[in-house]
Amino acid sequence: MRIPIVAGNWKMNTSVAEAISKVESMKGPLEKIEGVDKVICPPFVSLFPLSNLLSSSSIKLGAQNVYFEEKGAFTGEISPLMLKDLCTYVILGHSERRGYFGEDDELINLKVRAVVKAGLLPILCVGESGEEKKEGRTEEVVGRQLRMALREVSLQPGLVIAYEPIWAIGKGIAASPEKADDICGFIRRVLQELYGDEGKETRIQYGGSVTEDNISSFVREENIDGALVGGASLEVEEFPHIVQKVAEAKGLK
Ligand code: PGA
């Protein structure tokens, strides 16, 4: 049985003080919800204070990016070793990193390997653009992104894949749950092809304009084990509601 997982990607939002205040507000409601893994991914500078605040909490932290080298002359970069004591997960391959910062499948693969080597867990994002969807290339694109990112990576039991169609991110227009489930099913088949039956146990999230109003329809689908939430994860009441709805839809509450 796959434990559902909801992660909040705060992107480039919140000062340290705002991050602390948001987590202080969400902590109580989130901790009451059992059976769902809860992850908050704030900006790097807030990881340290939040790791103290959440040291004995069931809420886990994730980073939004990392470099693949362990240390050295890489001005401005953060290494997996620096993150290891501060968080559990690292978001990799997000379409904003691919699009704005030119990250390609090869770089993402180096990052996945470095993260796994450091004992951290990737939340690996894959997803097609609106144009690729129109051209009927979703499976081709998502399949390539997965196979390249996971090249020479042994199966990590805690690995998370996030299916995020680029056209649905931050737009207020989510994918249809049935269509998202189809692609998550495809992802599961690729994982099985790469890792055998154990690969099928990997958790797959949907991401793209998830809110408290549409989350239930996604996680009721067979292949969707949770969500990667952007905008709505910054809302201190809505984010715990989303997690609660996941618990309800999966029959945990
Ligand atoms: P959104 O972002 O929920 O604001 O659409 C999702 C994401 O980019 O992870």
Side-chain angles (χ1 to χ4, degrees), residues 7-9 11 91 94-96 125 162 164 168-172 206-211 228-233:
N9 174 10
K11 308 192 180 184
I91 298 174
H94 192 281
S95 59
E96 287 152 17
C125 304
E164 298 207 312
I169 295 177
K171 302 286 189 305
Y206 166 76
S209 299
V210 167
T211 65
L228 182 55
V229 186
S233 70

Side-chain angles (χ1 to χ4, degrees), residues 162-165 168 173-175 180 184 204-210 218 224 226-228:
Y163 169 56
E164 298 207 312
I173 309 161
C184 291
I204 304 175
Q205 300 173 316
Y206 166 76
S209 299
V210 167
F218 285 104
I224 303 180
L228 182 55

